[in-house]
Amino acid sequence: MGTDPERAAAPRIVMLHPAAPTKPAEGAPCNGCGLCCAAAPCPLGMFASRRRHGRCAALTWDESGARHRCGVVVDPGRWLPWLPRPWARHLARRWIAAGSGCDSDLIAG
């Protein structure tokens, strides 16, 4: 089943923390803007939050860093409790491609 192009291109409103940084350019280092995770969960987020659409339940706000963070990376014991914490954190960072740069082509307006 294909995606309806009109629905896919329709503008959406996602709620982010008011102090969140502006979305970086695609390919630039992630700055924790949270737009990608607020728009839709990644495959790890789908598994962790048990949802395929909408905001990822694992998206968290880091007050001290003034940025959004992946809750699976920040608190792996909550989201992947059956794995040892260091393994879960390592796997989560790998699964979300942490350090690879912004891969979101969403346009913040």
Side-chain angles (χ1 to χ4, degrees):
M1 175 164 59
T3 302
D4 178 5
E6 287 184 31
R7 183 173 178 211
R12 293 186 295 163
I13 296 174
V14 296
M15 305 300 288
L16 298 170
H17 193 283
T22 305
K23 183 195 172 300
E26 193 173 356
C30 174
N31 65 2
C33 76
L35 182 60
C36 56
C37 302
C42 70
L44 176 61
M46 286 184 207
F47 177 77
S49 63
R50 293 174 172 68
R51 52 175 84 155
R52 293 176 45 211
H53 306 286
R55 183 183 192 89
C56 178
L59 181 63
T60 61
W61 177 251
D62 175 12
E63 193 68 45
S64 64
R67 59 182 287 166
H68 288 94
R69 302 282 312 268
C70 174
V72 183
V73 173
V74 174
D75 187 9
R78 175 178 175 199
W79 299 98
L80 304 172
W82 57 90
L83 288 176
R85 272 190 129 98
W87 293 6
R89 182 172 283 121
H90 173 76
L91 289 172
R93 289 184 53 79
R94 183 174 177 165
W95 288 334
I96 67 168
S100 297
C102 178
D103 63 355
S104 175
D105 61 356
L106 297 172
I107 299 169

